[in-house]
Amino acid sequence: MMKKTILLFISLLIAGAQLDAQAQKIGEIKDKSEKSGNRSNRSSSGSSGGGCGDAGAGCAGDALGSMCSSIGSTVCSSFINEILANSFARRNAETGGTYVPISFEIGGDATFVPSTESLYRPRARFRVGFLSFDYRYTYLTETVLGNRTSFPTHEIQLLQINPIIDPAYDFRIGWGLYHEQDSNSPNPTFSELTAGFDAFPTRMKLGTEFRYVIARNSTVGSPRWEINAQAKYALVDNPSTKIYFGFSGSYAEYYTISIWGIGLGLSFKFGSL
């Protein structure tokens, strides 16, 4: 009887330890965010020549400024002129005039697998020609033993370029800011780079996107990198109004801690792109 009691006690301890380790995912993320912020404070106080603020805006400006010089000013200027011409001088076949192609999209997705962790991601995107502005709110939540913890983040793509001006395809690259709302870090805002591609075959939306947040402290890894994908069907498929519903999935690492999810998504798209 004593042996059975001891074995049961050890089994409960092991199960409890596994649940505790599982419950610490968001706790670990917050702990590592604090380490990242503290390390960045010490390194920035000892150096003043980086030209980057807490969010890396200086670095992004330097990178954009040196882009043309890297590939050649003539090639760069021709490429930009071609994009501008295709974006803002689209000819209307019926009237013979020109117009500016625009679109506005709102939507979001929610994951239900695995059951202990969930991601909710509402999003809005406004596009004018080859430029677009994108905002996404990501709410990561975890439930263990009836207790719920969360780690919400905000992402604002301030500069997003869409070189393909075609309603059937959408390729974009961009830079913006990533902010940890409940971070333990004194500097919870970072630079974020994105690249995405969407295709719109008949009544479908197939897409994938990669997001990478630039770390200030290499010892704790990137605050987050993510790859996601979606396959949705157009419930409404009018020329200027579309409503998509379908599946979505993602894999992400917050400070090297893996988070994945599979779920459903709904989006509304209005406009000519």
Side-chain angles (χ1 to χ4, degrees), residues 196-224:
F197 178 79
D198 294 326
F200 301 91
T202 305
R203 297 189 74 96
M204 293 292 295
K205 178 181 181 180
L206 306 174
T208 184
E209 186 177 51
F210 176 75
R211 292 174 175 250
Y212 181 79
V213 180
I214 300 173
R216 291 189 293 260
N217 180 356
S218 60
T219 63
V220 294
S222 168
R224 195 206 63 206

Side-chain angles (χ1 to χ4, degrees), residues 104-195:
F104 178 67
E105 185 174 359
I106 58 173
D109 57 82
T111 63
F112 307 102
V113 179
S115 59
T116 54
E117 301 155 14
S118 297
L119 286 164
Y120 301 93
R121 292 175 294 206
R123 177 176 181 174
R125 183 170 181 242
F126 178 66
R127 181 177 175 185
V128 181
F130 80 107
L131 295 176
S132 60
F133 174 86
D134 186 292
Y135 169 77
R136 192 181 77 167
Y137 175 73
T138 300
Y139 185 77
L140 168 63
T141 180
E142 180 182 42
T143 303
V144 176
L145 299 178
N147 296 319
R148 181 180 293 272
T149 57
S150 62
F151 192 74
T153 58
H154 303 266
E155 299 157 77
I156 304 174
Q157 286 288 295
L158 299 171
L159 179 62
Q160 203 169 63
I161 299 175
N162 308 261
I164 300 176
I165 309 299
D166 191 322
Y169 303 96
D170 180 13
F171 171 70
R172 58 194 177 276
I173 53 175
W175 169 85
L177 300 179
Y178 169 86
H179 178 76
E180 298 171 341
Q181 181 175 310
D182 292 343
S183 174
N184 291 338
S185 170
N187 299 311
T189 304
F190 303 82
S191 283
E192 181 185 56
L193 304 175
T194 62

Side-chain angles (χ1 to χ4, degrees), residues 32-110:
K32 289 191 174 186
S33 72
E34 183 176 13
K35 293 177 183 178
S36 174
N38 291 336
R39 177 68 175 269
S40 70
N41 278 346
R42 290 195 296 270
S43 61
S44 62
S45 63
S47 173
S48 60
C52 298
D54 289 339
C59 283
D62 292 342
L64 293 170
S66 63
M67 188 180 296
C68 281
S69 61
S70 298
I71 63 176
S73 58
T74 303
V75 175
C76 183
S77 122
S78 298
F79 177 70
I80 291 175
N81 287 336
E82 183 67 20
I83 289 178
L84 286 171
N86 289 333
S87 298
F88 297 103
R90 300 277 288 180
R91 183 165 296 279
N92 189 312
E94 296 180 0
T95 64
T98 59
Y99 71 99
V100 178
I102 63 173
S103 68
F104 178 67
E105 185 174 359
I106 58 173
D109 57 82

